[in-house]
Amino acid sequence: MRKIVTKLKQQLWKYIDIIFYFAGLISITIGAFYINKPLGYIVCGIAFLISGYLVELIASQNKGGGGK
């Protein structure tokens, strides 16, 4: 039973990190829009670039078959 709880906790922690990452990006982007509209668009573009890079980085690490 303890092993199941530990694995569940690890999986939830991964999702919590993703939720906090996107919540932080959204907050920074909205704050930039409140300061100035062009700044908001620049920050939004940078946020998309960083997110896209991270997605590609994660995808390249997971190559080689699933189910490990």
Side-chain angles (χ1 to χ4, degrees):
M1 186 64 150
R2 176 173 264 168
K3 189 175 181 179
I4 293 172
V5 172
T6 304
K7 285 189 176 208
L8 180 63
K9 183 179 171 185
Q10 290 172 348
Q11 290 297 321
L12 287 175
W13 192 253
K14 289 179 186 179
Y15 292 120
I16 288 172
D17 286 342
I18 293 169
I19 291 168
F20 284 148
Y21 170 75
F22 282 113
L25 278 182
I26 290 168
S27 298
I28 291 170
T29 305
I30 289 172
F33 271 110
Y34 281 137
I35 293 172
N36 175 326
K37 194 171 184 178
L39 178 65
Y41 286 122
I42 291 169
V43 170
C44 191
I46 292 170
F48 282 132
L49 287 173
I50 293 171
S51 296
Y53 174 73
L54 290 176
V55 166
E56 289 297 323
L57 188 66
I58 291 169
S60 70
Q61 289 178 354
N62 290 335
K63 286 187 178 176
K68 287 187 175 181

